[in-house]
């Protein structure tokens, strides 16, 4: 019979409505992000303001969770730096990773930049090979 229940209910947890507030542990479990990282992000992203009740317990609204998903995607999937994500959220520019050229995501360079770098490396190699030939001719 318990096979018919969703996983959360099978573990004794009741399902919350999509509009319900969530605790930090629920959000951390759902997003697969440690709680200390969520607390850290609150210090870096002023847009993120969960409700705090007695004892400092945090309650995240659905819009807070959506923002956390977005921050997570920008940092972990698209490779933005924290400063890059801060700029995107502050300026409201979100046209993809190439929109903020000053804060390109980490990882592979764009193909055009890679081709330029390869050409520069080939030219440097050719120059070094010529210098080596000239040195051999002088010493040989």
């Amino acid at each position: 019979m318990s096979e018919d229940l969703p996983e959360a209910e099978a573990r004794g947890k009741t399902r919350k409505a999509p509009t319900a507030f969530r605790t930090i542990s629920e959000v951390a479990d759902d997003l697969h992000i440690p709680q200390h990282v969520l607390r850290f992000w609150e210090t870096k992203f002023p847009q993120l303001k969960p409700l705090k009740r007695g004892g400092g317990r945090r309650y995240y609204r659905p819009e807070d969770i959506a923002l956390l998903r977005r921050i997570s995607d920008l940092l972990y999937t698209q490779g933005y730096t924290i400063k890059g994500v801060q700029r995107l959220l502050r300026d409201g520019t979100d046209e993809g990773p190439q929109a903020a050229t000053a804060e390109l995501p980490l990882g592979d360079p764009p193909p055009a930049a890679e081709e330029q770098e390869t050409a520069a490396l080939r030219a440097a190699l050719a120059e070094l090979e010529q210098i080596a030939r000239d040195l051999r001719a002088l010493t040989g």
Side-chain angles (χ1 to χ4, degrees), residues 56-107:
R57 287 195 55 143
R58 290 165 169 80
Y59 291 95
Y60 291 88
R61 302 173 198 90
E63 53 270 18
D64 294 325
I65 297 169
L67 179 58
L68 286 169
R69 280 186 207 283
R70 183 154 156 52
I71 291 169
S72 174
D73 176 63
L74 289 168
L75 288 172
Y76 298 139
T77 305
Q78 297 186 32
Y80 277 92
T81 62
I82 286 182
K83 282 191 175 203
V85 175
Q86 288 171 332
R87 184 173 293 136
L88 281 175
L89 295 177
R90 182 181 60 241
D91 298 344
T93 57
D94 183 23
E95 296 147 17
Q98 309 315 332
T101 55
E103 285 295 332
L104 285 176
L106 303 174

Side-chain angles (χ1 to χ4, degrees), residues 23-40:
T23 64
I24 192 168
S25 62
E26 291 171 325
V27 174
D29 288 344
D30 288 347
L31 300 179
H32 307 291
I33 298 171
Q35 293 180 25
H36 70 273
V37 173
L38 297 176
R39 287 187 209 96
F40 173 72

